[in-house]
Amino acid sequence: MSQVSHHVLAPFTSLGVISVASLSFSTNSSPSFLRFSLRLRAFSSFSSSLRAMASHIVGYPRMGPKRELKFALESFWDGKSSADELQKVATDLRLSIWKQMADAGIKFIPSNTFSYYDQVLDTTAMLGAVPPRYGWNGGEIGFDIYFSMARGNASVPAMEMTKWFDTNYHYIVPELGPDVKFSYASHKAVDEYKEAKALGIETVPVIVGPVSYLLLSKPAKGVEKSFSLLSLIDKILPVYKEVVSELKAAGANWIQFDEPKLVMDLDAHELQAFTHAYSELEATLSGLHVLIETYFADVPVEAYKTLTSLKGVSGFGFDLIRGTKTLDLIKSGFPSGKFLFAGVVDGRNIWANDLAASLDTLHSLEAIVGKDKVVVSTSCSLLHTAVDLANEPKLDKEIKPWLAFAAQKILEVNALAKALAGHKDEAFFSSNALAHTSRKSSPRVTNEAVQAAAASLKGSDHRRATNVSARLDAQQKKLNLPILPTTTIGSFPQTQDLRRVRREYKAKKISEDDYVNSIKEEINKVVKIQEELDIDVLVHGEPERNDMVEYFGEQLSGFAFSANGWVQSYGSRCVKPPIIYGDVSRPKAMTVFWSSMAQSMTKRPMKGMLTGPVTILNWSFVRNDQPRHETCYQIALAIKDEVEDLEKAGITVIQIDEAALREGLPLRKSEHAFYLDWAVHSFRITNCGVQDSTQIHTHMCYSNFNDIIHSIINMDADVITIENSRSDEKLLSVFREGVKYGAGIGPGVYDIHSPRIPSTEEIADRIKKMLAVLESHILWVNPDCGLKTRKYSEVKPALSNMVAAAKLLRAELGSAK
């Protein structure tokens, strides 16, 4: 990709803006953009009473209400559009978000929460912390370097991607070491602040805080694992000082540092790093109001003390939805004269806020902190919610009033702020109360038979009667697989034609027979490709599935669905989480028809493909009126019925994906055991009744599994396939350190989230590294994840090289014997 000279993330000049101060636009500005600028002039005349209504949004979804950024990114990556066209889409999205908040009366509007890929990667760009393999030679970081770090390119792999705390969002992990030279290399934060200011909107620039940034990083390749990332704090602070100084010069009043690592179990050394960093920044921050924002969990006692003692800080933000114990800390002592940004509107789920209860909480805080020091806020960025209920005309009319997407949460925040300031909107509050009453009394929410079945699981253990080594022997007799068997994770590329067929069937534009024939053709194509490649255990490619969770939710009771409730997972990839509003059960078989059809097309084993209960739970918007584990047990019983029907239909290999099991691990260690107990139990429930000769697979991806390896073993699956390649094979270290694993395991041999095609030699080298720590008779060869997002032009050569590598190693192992 050629060098792009534009700034990565705030190319305001590319729109043809001549004079920022005078709001003068050139003739190529769009009419809607001009109308927007004229309307914003009215914004500056907000009444003083409205300004007193302190409301704050931590962050906002950036994909757009109709995934505009996704399509612009993919068009640019495919070479179908220019950098200017991509930047124009991005700029219009940012402006619409700021305008939306301004129109709603939000006082603290965030900027720099927009990203072309990921906010942590943006911080890496800001710091100039580009790994040497990308060939960056200084200067402002352009799209070529930025997207190479995120996605890799023809010659070098991407940086590691992992889960953002316990969410389904993925961030790009910084690679740091003692020799990294930091420099101010992306002016995005300042450019976006200026962009908003030029239109009359005062924003709060948001930056990932310096200590959380380092704690979210990893030692670069070749750097000792024991290297202290926090030793770099004094090397990165000069860049932070430059950014802050530029923001001050541009007229910023507030700046927000996100320091979410403060909710984790930190030691004294790590806490001291916060004290040191903000003490060093104090002089530069002088003249600015500084907000330190935390989210996703309670702040531990010692971290709370450290946080509220930081120098140069004006306000502290807390998640009061997931961090209910933080309320007790605030009540026991809050620094005088400081602002409390109270996260009482849930940024992680889509249920309408209980406004009356939230207002009571805010009044109690007001009595402690002071009337003019409480700011109503979201619990975290709204990045993790769907965008706007206005785009859901077909959503169930009973359920829709129970919900609030990001756009509605802005209104909730402002309604609470107005009420706190003495301007309560009685009609808004009354409508909210009616919605809550409706939800509590709806007969659709509760199924007594399901509740009883789930309740009966408590206190019981569910696992297969025979140990895994005996089961593997029985399975090998039936399957007769070679050493180092090859397989894929499940999905094959979802082409435009395939999506069109599903769309037309859903819209009743084609008959069911036409739809079934089209899907059958696609399955047959995928089966033939795998046979030609000589893959050992096949998949049907999942052409009938829109998403690995949504597909199942559509066939289970207790679920509702949006049309445009998209949430960013990573890069341009979005998911549309189902909404679990009631008790869950399985009215009929969900996959047996397609799996049986696929098996009839081949003599090789065909995997039945299911999504596990924990992943369905963690990748849905889950009801908040009962404990999560109770809902998970209900889903587990539904999947159990499906597993047993697949076995009856002659499917001898069944994969139950638990991609999100690690993701759901609570952030605090004290809560790990309870979660892992019910999560692992839920998985075992699904397959405890099958025969020894039925092989149960599971799959996990893009998380650090080393700390839960014993729980993974306790899942008692016959084979686990697991992400490995993008994380520098960290997974293998747990086996080097002596953990014994007797079940089948397939650490991924190549990264499917990059368009790069690995060579046979590269894959063979990865397999050799695995064989150094794992027995050959349990090792499987597979990609990191499903192939849904890739093109056939990438998939075929990559899988061909994968099979060739497995055969090469088989030959070597055979000759060694």
Side-chain angles (χ1 to χ4, degrees), residues 722-738:
I722 201 161
E723 182 272 327
N724 174 63
S725 63
R726 198 181 250 214
S727 54
D728 288 335
E729 296 153 344
K730 277 191 297 193
L731 171 70
L732 299 183
S733 66
V734 75
F735 302 111
R736 290 191 194 99
E737 291 159 9

Side-chain angles (χ1 to χ4, degrees), residues 94-143:
R94 286 195 298 272
L95 299 182
S96 68
I97 292 166
W98 292 330
K99 174 187 180 296
Q100 184 180 0
M101 293 189 200
D103 284 351
I106 298 297
K107 180 177 180 181
F108 297 100
I109 298 172
S111 60
N112 198 41
T113 56
F114 177 88
S115 178
Y116 284 100
Y117 207 95
D118 164 52
Q119 70 270 16
V120 179
L121 181 62
D122 295 347
T123 312
T124 296
M126 180 187 85
L127 294 167
V130 180
R133 65 180 178 275
Y134 299 108
W136 177 61
N137 296 313
E140 190 82 9
I141 290 174
F143 278 156

Side-chain angles (χ1 to χ4, degrees), residues 12 15 17 25 30 32-34 36-37 40 87-103 109 114 192 194-201:
F12 195 50
L15 279 178
V17 178
F25 297 91
S30 68
S32 61
F33 188 77
L34 289 170
F36 171 54
S37 67
L40 280 172
Q87 290 167 336
K88 174 66 168 66
V89 171
T91 302
D92 285 349
L93 280 172
R94 286 195 298 272
L95 299 182
S96 68
I97 292 166
W98 292 330
K99 174 187 180 296
Q100 184 180 0
M101 293 189 200
D103 284 351
I109 298 172
F114 177 88
E192 286 192 17
K194 289 179 178 178
E195 184 179 30
K197 192 176 182 68
L199 296 168
I201 303 181

Side-chain angles (χ1 to χ4, degrees), residues 48-74:
S48 57
S49 63
L50 188 57
R51 285 197 184 104
M53 297 166 191
S55 50
H56 169 246
I57 306 296
V58 178
Y60 200 78
R62 54 230 188 188
M63 277 293 128
K66 299 288 180 67
R67 294 182 291 166
E68 292 86 347
L69 182 60
K70 169 190 172 65
F71 300 120
L73 281 168
E74 292 172 359

